[in-house]
Amino acid sequence: MKRLSFLSPYWIWALFSIPAMFMFNDILTSESSRIYGKVVHTSGEASARFLIVAMMATPLALLLRGWRGPIWLKKNRRYLGVAAFAYAALHTIFYFFKLNSLDRVISDLPKFYIWTGWIAFIIFIPLAVTSFDYFVRKMGTKWKALQRWTYPAAVLTLLHWAALHNWRSPEAALIHFGPLIALEAYRIWYWYIRKRPTRPNATPAQ
């Protein structure tokens, strides 16, 4: 883990791009147009996984104080968030190629599992655009307020995934989001619910 703390951003992006390499390899080596159905699924899962790991960084660092793994995740969570957006963008592009018709894309919009995904993606756009150091400095406290929109985007992503198969098998989505939900519940308990030890009154000076 010590080596990971010195991992350059170039190596981080190389690591994060591995799933995309497999997706494009599948597209280039497949002779069937149905391959887009497969990469729509895998790119969507990749986006959700990067989002989950990015959001787990802070509660993990709180739970496992002093551990290097959560510290590294917290330090690089913006990279994880941008990777989540990048795979969401690929997910959207592959979805267009799968349907191969703007009319079909528009006709899909009223479906619950479609519009939840679109709204989540729209929320991701300003979060990704403002992820650079320049915006962090320029926006100040407003930057953190904007980044809190990650939470509704994550809820919409969960609903999008769970509703994808008409709610018949939402287990995969819940299994992926379960650890994040548990960690966020711990975070809420730690900061807002648990009883904190009371400090003894200071003895007045004689």
Side-chain angles (χ1 to χ4, degrees):
M1 189 56 66
K2 186 176 180 181
R3 291 182 179 179
L4 283 177
S5 63
F6 296 102
L7 198 61
S8 80
Y10 300 106
W11 285 108
I12 291 173
W13 285 118
L15 182 66
F16 290 174
S17 66
I18 290 174
M21 293 178 186
F22 282 104
M23 294 175 208
F24 283 109
N25 180 68
D26 288 341
I27 292 171
L28 293 173
T29 57
S30 176
E31 297 180 357
S32 173
S33 60
R34 292 183 180 180
I35 188 61
Y36 287 108
K38 177 184 176 182
V39 292
V40 165
H41 178 73
T42 53
S43 58
E45 284 195 352
S47 176
R49 287 167 183 160
F50 277 108
L51 173 64
I52 290 166
V53 175
M55 295 183 69
M56 286 173 64
T58 297
L60 266 179
L62 179 66
L63 178 64
L64 305 173
R65 292 188 178 188
W67 288 39
R68 291 177 178 175
I71 292 172
W72 184 86
L73 288 176
K74 191 173 179 180
K75 181 181 177 182
N76 294 284
R77 62 186 169 182
R78 272 193 283 162
Y79 293 140
L80 289 159
V82 172
F85 171 76
Y87 280 100
L90 281 179
H91 180 64
T92 305
I93 293 168
F94 293 151
Y95 169 70
F96 273 103
F97 275 102
K98 177 188 175 184
L99 295 189
N100 198 29
S101 167
L102 183 59
D103 290 338
R104 292 178 65 187
V105 171
I106 295 172
S107 66
D108 264 359
L109 286 176
K111 298 175 182 177
F112 181 82
Y113 69 89
I114 294 295
W115 65 257
T116 48
W118 274 113
I119 295 175
F121 180 66
I122 291 169
I123 292 172
F124 276 138
I125 294 173
L127 299 180
V129 170
T130 58
S131 64
F132 300 98
D133 291 337
Y134 169 80
F135 288 102
V136 177
R137 294 191 301 268
K138 194 77 173 176
M139 296 177 67
T141 56
K142 292 180 181 179
W143 185 84
K144 282 192 174 182
L146 177 63
Q147 292 300 312
R148 291 193 183 99
W149 280 90
T150 305
Y151 292 97
V155 172
L156 287 165
T157 301
L158 171 59
L159 293 173
H160 169 67
W161 193 349
L164 191 58
H165 302 290
N166 296 321
W167 302 97
R168 288 193 296 267
S169 55
E171 296 84 4
L174 292 173
I175 288 171
H176 278 78
F177 278 89
L180 174 61
I181 293 169
L183 284 168
E184 287 296 341
Y186 169 77
R187 187 182 182 187
I188 292 170
W189 170 84
Y190 185 88
W191 288 116
Y192 303 107
I193 299 175
R194 75 182 177 101
K195 292 182 178 180
R196 302 187 183 187
T198 56
R199 294 181 179 180
N201 293 327
T203 304
Q206 300 295 328

